[in-house]
Amino acid sequence: MSFPFPPASSSSHPLAPYGWDDDWAAAFSPYAAQGLVPGRVVRVDRGRCDVVTADGTVRADTAFVVPRDPMRIVCTGDWAALDADGDPRFVRTLLPRRTAFVRSTSSQRSEGQVLATNIDHIALCVSLAVELDLGRLERFLALAMSSSSGAALLGEGLGAGDRAPQPIVLLTKADLVPDAVTLSHLVQDVEAVAPGVQVLPVSSTTGEGLDVFAAVVSGGTSVLLGVSGAGKSTLANTLLGLDVMEVRAARDVDGKGRHTTTTRNLLVLPHDGVLIDTPGLRGVGLYDAEAGVGQVFSEIEELAADCRFHDCAHEAEPGCAVRGALADGSLPERRFDSYRKLLRENQRIAARTDARLRSEIRKDWKRKGAEGRAALEVKRGRTR
């Protein structure tokens, strides 16, 4: 796949359409003194990457960028310093990442996988061609709202605290829900699990919502995330006005996609902004997402603050505000179960690299086991 260099921007720097700004220029200045040139990674494939530079797109080797550390390998969206010439060209280093969207790997190791970097907007694509999976959306949102910490995970963070990516939920294929009332209810269902997040129905067929989305993501870097078949590549093609990304129809039997997109591709939008299209995600494991879980389930965190005990487990303690909300129906049981599931999963991931946390978890298990045995003994004594 080729990535044509866009027309010259009104900015003095030819990389401005790709997001180059004064902060990146300042970060790159030490490497300019070494004779290196800046570029943005638009695609990574088998140890090599396509990097757009002031002179166009070049193919570069990534061997010099710590290949054994999965959190530091070259990723689509990175800004790089590479050789000014040569065959092959080499990426010598990466500029500090502002943000990174990170998930845990599918292995049992404690590694994270970086899916996209230096992003300003995270567009979570949810297809209306199939039944809404609110639990999966909550998982995506928890990672999205934790993505600003991705730079901190790398020991970097060029202004990361001031540049947290903004999530937006795109309800794609909205033309498949022609009834306005039904569509409104679906939007409300998603808004209920995405506090403070814009929820926008869009259709690549009718153009519904695309002007609003284009306005939201203009002037920054956005990444499209979702399962295969959510319509990400079709949406990218529609925004670009070109058939850049190959697409295939979802399976009629279950609405699932066919994983047509196999690499993460960075594309310049015609009306300002940069878009990263990604392959469909089969699984999204949490990685350092405690803050994101707290934001997604903010109403539960607020309830927990009103519990009688500060360390309330929300199980059988007296004065538990969370159990009270479950009892009166103001807090749905599904929502609470999802909250606890994601917290436990994130804790397990964190414990793989934190010995103190592993010790605390073991102590908690032992305490609960002792309490359970004591309760059983009391019960047995009563029945004798």
Side-chain angles (χ1 to χ4, degrees), residues 199-222:
V199 179
L200 181 65
V202 298
S203 170
S204 297
T205 301
T206 65
E208 177 183 355
L210 295 186
D211 55 342
V212 177
F213 177 58
V216 169
V217 301
S218 64
T221 298
S222 306

Side-chain angles (χ1 to χ4, degrees), residues 299-316:
E299 80 279 21
I300 299 180
E301 300 267 308
E302 292 172 2
L303 284 169
D306 292 331
C307 290
R308 180 182 300 178
F309 304 107
H310 74 277
D311 58 348
C312 183
H314 317 308
E315 293 176 352

Side-chain angles (χ1 to χ4, degrees), residues 168-285:
I168 179 173
V169 177
L170 300 180
L171 300 182
T172 63
K173 307 182 183 182
D175 54 288
L176 299 181
V177 187
D179 180 62
V181 175
T182 301
L183 182 59
S184 176
H185 288 161
L186 290 171
V187 171
Q188 292 173 15
D189 288 344
V190 174
E191 288 177 338
V193 303
V197 176
Q198 184 175 2
V199 179
L200 181 65
V202 298
S203 170
S204 297
T205 301
T206 65
E208 177 183 355
L210 295 186
D211 55 342
V212 177
F213 177 58
V216 169
V217 301
S218 64
T221 298
S222 306
V223 60
L224 298 176
L225 294 170
V227 300
S228 184
K232 299 183 299 298
S233 295
T234 302
L235 179 60
N237 284 339
T238 305
L239 292 172
L240 289 164
L242 299 167
D243 289 333
V244 175
M245 303 304 300
E246 182 183 357
V247 297
R248 295 172 66 187
R251 297 197 304 244
D252 291 336
V253 64
D254 55 11
K256 291 184 178 179
R258 304 169 190 262
H259 295 281
T260 305
T261 303
T262 57
T263 58
R264 303 175 196 107
N265 303 283
L266 185 148
L267 310 158
V268 174
L269 297 173
H271 303 297
D272 198 16
V274 176
L275 188 70
I276 299 177
D277 188 24
T278 64
L281 299 175
R282 290 187 176 90
V284 186

Side-chain angles (χ1 to χ4, degrees), residues 6-52:
S9 167
S10 58
S11 171
S12 59
H13 201 289
L15 287 176
Y18 287 89
W20 185 262
D21 58 27
D22 291 341
D23 288 339
W24 289 122
F28 183 77
S29 58
Y31 307 110
Q34 301 173 26
L36 300 178
V37 297
R40 193 163 196 190
V41 179
V42 296
R43 185 185 182 199
V44 180
D45 183 27
R46 299 178 181 177
R48 291 202 168 193
C49 59
D50 293 335
V51 184
V52 63

